[in-house]
Structures are given as structure tokens and as C-alpha cells.
DNA sequence: CAGATCAAGTTGGCCAGCCAACTTTGCTGA
DNA sequence: TCAGCAAAGTTGGCTGGCCAACTTGATCTG
């Protein structure tokens, strides 16, 4: 992000925070968003400080007001700033949140915390999909799926049991991976399988015999469960996964607002 | 949403679904979004069907392409459709999701499911805020808070224990409410306290003696915990709440994508 | 027949401008 | 002194236009 200006007075706080955000994305609005995010998280505008006006930012970055608004929409969606008519935007929090890849990939998440992720493939089988799996992965009757069971560790400590169902075209690739490969997600990306959208459901379940054995907990012990269905850019489901975490190892965090939201609370009818 | 047109061929699927979406919001793009959402959730475009082109929608609704794009951005954020350059948008799922108010207000959520929400105020005290509370609610040292403890029920069955901390200016209002009022949120809105942004963290905890007594479970039994900090339009915190649900009564659901996301997974350092 | 090429269709991105709605501030006048 | 009002500042919303990047399907070519 190239831009240089006066830097006089509190108004101009975020004037030189282009360090970490040089090539945050090809699109201008992403670069602006990254630069502003950097400024906000480093506290350049203060705890509940006010951002410069859209027009001022447009001039500073040498872009149109529309582009600035696009950038600010990103920050608003992430819960970094408020936004209401008539007054400047206000800094809400200094959250981090890279988020999408962190949520999708255990490996990516672990590394972003500086932990050492591990994974041991317990089993991988191929079999016809049952009704629920066909529903989730949008498969034809008789279609086959690949089912993996993996124990995930942080610094060699068991943390999570992962049961994933892949449709055939993805499962074929997974089956060819070495059993000790840490990140399936990254390997699949290399082979052209992209993850772009995911639906998550979070609740509590009790450990079954298999969970207990792998995680080293009692049978019946509570586990935090995350179920996830992931789709590629074309909208085709590529993964249906159920992760069970030992309590105390993770928490899920989400921001929502009247402006943008995609979170909801369900009754537990389904299973 | 007023618009009437040809209705010939599959292309024109969503041509007459203006029923539930007439006055979805003053803004045009919200009306368009509501109309399209209605069409999608009723299956007018099929399971993985393709939406009409932006230009076609613009003509159909009599608005500019920019407005249509704004509407589609809403649907994309909700995970209803994909969106990539070069090809029509594809229907992802037929999820419901009104979401924000449902997540914020137990009462609103319960009613949207057709259940009868109840609430019993167990205690309400006023005391100086501790360090954590000052941090969360951004209060000055020495500031006072109001703390409520409520047992929440669905059709008279205990479901959740809610512990909420309010800053003084909100707590004063809460303290004046009758102890049997069901929805604090709605009452506060009447008094001009608006909830617009919220940060949620979801994990598992074990029931303490108080939880066990109120919910009728064993001490040490697992509970699904949601912690929530809510702010008003100006960015001022108005509520910090900790809800503990009996397992099997709720699940939290979230959509995220490379395009828009606000969800992340944390290590459990804090408490 | 398979592969490469091309053209049309579609979304992403950016710009410039305009007005409405709302907030804040400062001034005016009782 | 205080209430009311006016003006300036700011974001929300919408339009119209332009080009680039990408996808898809048809066509051409070896």
C-alpha cells in the first residue's frame, strides 16, 4: 500500500502503517482494508477512536470513495468497526481474525498459534454413501465415499478426533496421500481441490468408545463437536467432517451484527 | 417488492415470489435481497440451480446493477449462493437464518421456533465492577455494574442459565423491570437501548453447584457455554453475558467463506 | 476424434457523481 | 441559562458507465 501524507494531529493517526499490508491482495479495496486493519489492531486509532471520513481515506489512498466503502465493509463484517449514518466510524475491538483458513484447517490453525500440529490416520475406507451422506454431499444413490478417521495432536498431545467423509473424486486423492501427511487440506489444494465455503454447527456430545480410546478420556466424557460441510467455488460439496475436541482445548468465536450476520442458533432436532 | 414480468421458461423461475418480502426494508437492495432469498429458500431455482445474471435481475427489478450486486452480497454473506467471476451464481443451500436477533435474544429465538420461552430472575445485585468486567464493558475504575442471574425455560423446562453483567446506565433500567418479564432485550429496546453488534465465544464447561441446582443436572455435568459481549450503535458495550445450556438443547451454526468471514477458533488460554 | 482457439456471456472491480438521512456542533433567541 | 434551530459534516443508497478476468460452449484445426 503506497501512500504518504501530512501526518499532523490525531486525525491523521494511521498515516504510516503500510508495513505488513503491502501486497495483501490484488484488489485495491483489499489493500486498503488490510492497511486499515493493521492500523486498527496496532491501536493507531485508539480503543474506541474514530476513523477518518470516507472522503479523507479516499484522498489518502488515492482511490474513489466507493473503493474505500468496499474496504470498510470488510472491516465492518469482521466486527472491527461500527458504521452508522451521520457519524464517523468507531473502532470496536482489536481482534485478529484471519479466520477462514484457520477454521477450515486444523494444521493452519495450529501453526498460526505457534503450536506443532500432528495427525495420525487411524483408518481410511471406501464404501457406498448412506442417506445422510448423500444428502450432505449431494450424491446420487449408489455413489461411493471415502471415510477417514484421524487423531489430531498439538505438540504430540491428543486434542481432537476427526471423522471426514469425502466424495469419490476427492477421496481418491486423499487415499493416495502418505498416511503420515499432516495437512490434507493443503495437499488437496495442490491437486486443485479448493475450499471456499463452509457451514459449521457446534454442540456438545459424549465420547463413544472409539473417541475415549483415541483421546484418552473416559467413555461418556463431554466433547465439543464441530460439524462442517465444505464446498468448492462451484458450490459442489467436497467434504463433510465431524470433529470432536477435548474440552479446554478450543473455543469457537464469532462476530455478528445487524448489518452482516450468518450465525444462528438451532434446536437440536437433527443429529 | 413490486415487479411483474414475463415468466416464461426456466430462466425466469423466480418471477412471482414477492409474497413474504413486500416490505423487507426501506432500502431497495434489501427488498431485492429479501425477494431473492424467498425465491431461493422456496426452491424456485432448484437445489444447485443458477441464478439469473446480474443484468437480468437489474432489469427485472428495475434497479441498477450496482443495487443488485449489493443485494447479492447479502445472500453471499449468508451462504445462500456462491459467487465467482465468469459464471452465474449458484444456489448453495436453502438455509433460513434471520439470525442476529435470534442469537441475541433467547426469547426471540424460542418464539421463532414456536416454543414458549420463560425466564425466572434468581437474583439481581449491584456492585463495583471487577477488572475483567471493566475490561469487557470498557468502564472506569470504581464504576458499578448490575449483575443478573436468570433461569431460562422452554415450555417450562429448564434449558439455560444466564448470567449477565450490565453497565450502570443499562442496569438501572433492568432493575426497574418486573421480575417476571420474559424478554429483557425487548424491554431495553423500548427504552432506547439498541443492540447492534455482538461477539460470541462458544465452548464447554462443567456445571457448578449453582448451575446444577437450577438446571437439575449433576454437578460437573457438561454444559455448552456461550459468552457474549454486545455493543450499541455507537460502539459502547451494553451487555456482557454468559449463558450455559444443557447439552442437546441447542447447537450453534455459522457460515463462513473466503469472501466474508468473522469466525475463528481460539486456544483456550483465557477464561 | 481430440485438442486448441475463439467469441460470447458473466462477475469482479473501480470510478464519478448525486441526493437523502442522520449526527454533531455551534449559534441564536427567548 | 437553556431550548431550539440552522449549518456543516458524514455515511447510506443508488445510478451509469467502463474495463478486466474468468468461464463456458462452439468452432476450427491437426
Amino acid at each position: 500500500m503506497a501512500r504518504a501524507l501530512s501526518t499532523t494531529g490525531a486525525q491523521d493517526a494511521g498515516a504510516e502503517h503500510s508495513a505488513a499490508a503491502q501486497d495483501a491482495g490484488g484488489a485495491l479495496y483489499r489493500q486498503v482494508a488490510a492497511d486499515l486493519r493493521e492500523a486498527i489492531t496496532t491501536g493507531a486509532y485508539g480503543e474506541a477512536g474514530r476513523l477518518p471520513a470516507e472522503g479523507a481515506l479516499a484522498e489518502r489512498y488515492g482511490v474513489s470513495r466507493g473503493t474505500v466503502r468496499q474496504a470498510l465493509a470488510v472491516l465492518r463484517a469482521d466486527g472491527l468497526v461500527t458504521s452508522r449514518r451521520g457519524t464517523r466510524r468507531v473502532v470496536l475491538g482489536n481482534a485478529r481474525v484471519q479466520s477462514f483458513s484457520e477454521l477450515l484447517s486444523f494444521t493452519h490453525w495450529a501453526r498460526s498459534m505457534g503450536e506443532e500440529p500432528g495427525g495420525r490416520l487411524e483408518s481410511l475406507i471406501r464404501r457406498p454413501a448412506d442417506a445422510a451422506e448423500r444428502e450432505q454431499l449431494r450424491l446420487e444413490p449408489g455413489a461411493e465415499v471415502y471415510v477417514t478417521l484421524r487423531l489430531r495432536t498439538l505438540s504430540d498431545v491428543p486434542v481432537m478426533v476427526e471423522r471426514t467423509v469425502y466424495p469419490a473424486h476427492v477421496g481418491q486423492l486423499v487415499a493416495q496421500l502418505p498416511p503420515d501427511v499432516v495437512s490434507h487440506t493443503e495437499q488437496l489444494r495442490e491437486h486443485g481441490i479448493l475450499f471456499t465455503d463452509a457451514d459449521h454447527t457446534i454442540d456438545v456430545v459424549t465420547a463413544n468408545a472409539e473417541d475415549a480410546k483415541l483421546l484418552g478420556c473416559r467413555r461418556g466424557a463431554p466433547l465439543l463437536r464441530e460439524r462442517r460441510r465444505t464446498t468448492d467455488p462451484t458450490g459442489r460439496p467436497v467434504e463433510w467432517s465431524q470433529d470432536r475436541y477435548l474440552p479446554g482445548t478450543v473455543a469457537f468465536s464469532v462476530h455478528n451484527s445487524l448489518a452482516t450476520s450468518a450465525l444462528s442458533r438451532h434446536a437440536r432436532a437433527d443429529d
Side-chain angles (χ1 to χ4, degrees), chain A:
Chain A
M1 198 64 248
R3 164 212 32 69
L5 265 191
S6 45
T7 323
T8 45
Q11 203 68 237
D12 235 335
E16 254 323 323
H17 33 71
S18 26
Q22 308 126 345
D23 55 346
L28 277 180
Y29 80 91
R30 286 185 187 278
Q31 298 176 36
V32 173
D35 194 58
L36 288 173
R37 161 175 282 126
E38 168 77 9
I40 290 169
T41 54
T42 59
Y45 295 106
E47 179 67 10
R50 289 163 72 185
L51 252 53
E54 294 175 357
L57 290 172
E59 196 173 354
R60 175 194 298 180
Y61 289 108
V63 299
S64 77
R65 196 187 143 212
T67 300
V68 169
R69 284 176 63 76
Q70 232 175 325
L72 291 170
V74 173
L75 303 184
R76 181 186 54 184
D78 284 354
L80 282 174
V81 297
T82 64
S83 194
R84 58 188 185 126
R85 181 146 42 183
T87 187
R88 295 260 188 89
R89 285 179 174 78
V90 174
V91 174
L92 262 186
N94 22 348
R96 56 293 100 180
V97 179
Q98 238 68 359
S99 172
F100 182 76
S101 52
E102 282 184 23
L103 233 197
L104 214 65
S105 163
F106 181 86
T107 304
H108 192 287
W109 168 66
R111 290 201 178 125
S112 78
M113 298 190 310
E115 290 258 20
E116 183 55 34
R120 194 177 69 202
L121 183 64
E122 300 293 331
S123 69
L124 189 162
I125 63 172
R126 185 175 62 150
R127 59 168 171 73
D130 65 28
E133 290 160 353
R134 285 202 306 272
E135 161 82 17
Q136 289 291 329
L137 297 176
R138 254 200 295 261
L139 297 174
E140 302 297 319
E144 291 199 319
V145 290
Y146 290 72
V147 182
T148 64
L149 171 63
R150 293 214 291 165
L151 176 66
R152 303 297 227 126
T153 59
L154 288 180
S155 307
D156 294 320
V157 178
V159 163
M160 184 258 280
V161 170
E162 175 189 275
R163 295 182 179 85
T164 308
V165 182
Y166 298 100
H169 70 103
V170 181
Q172 283 171 356
L173 298 174
V174 173
Q176 287 166 19
L177 296 177
D180 62 336
V181 66
V182 176
S183 174
H184 284 184
T185 311
E186 285 172 9
Q187 290 298 315
L188 287 173
R189 190 174 53 227
E190 309 265 316
H191 287 79
I193 306 289
L194 297 177
F195 297 71
T196 58
D197 283 82
D199 273 304
H200 311 261
T201 302
I202 299 158
D203 59 5
V204 181
V205 293
T206 53
N208 61 29
E210 194 173 52
D211 297 331
K213 184 180 170 194
L214 291 170
L215 291 171
C217 63
R218 284 192 343 276
R219 217 176 131 250
L223 300 174
L224 185 60
R225 174 170 71 166
E226 177 216 354
R227 282 173 297 176
R228 171 180 70 244
R229 198 192 59 167
T230 313
T231 57
D232 69 12
T234 72
R236 194 159 58 145
V238 288
E239 179 200 49
W240 187 39
S241 190
Q242 179 174 139
D243 298 352
R244 298 179 170 207
Y245 291 89
L246 281 173
T249 58
V250 289
F252 291 90
S253 183
V254 72
H255 176 90
N256 74 344
S257 77
L258 268 182
T260 59
S261 66
L263 174 60
S264 62
R265 172 167 46 183
H266 294 312
R268 274 286 305 281
D270 65 319
D271 197 44

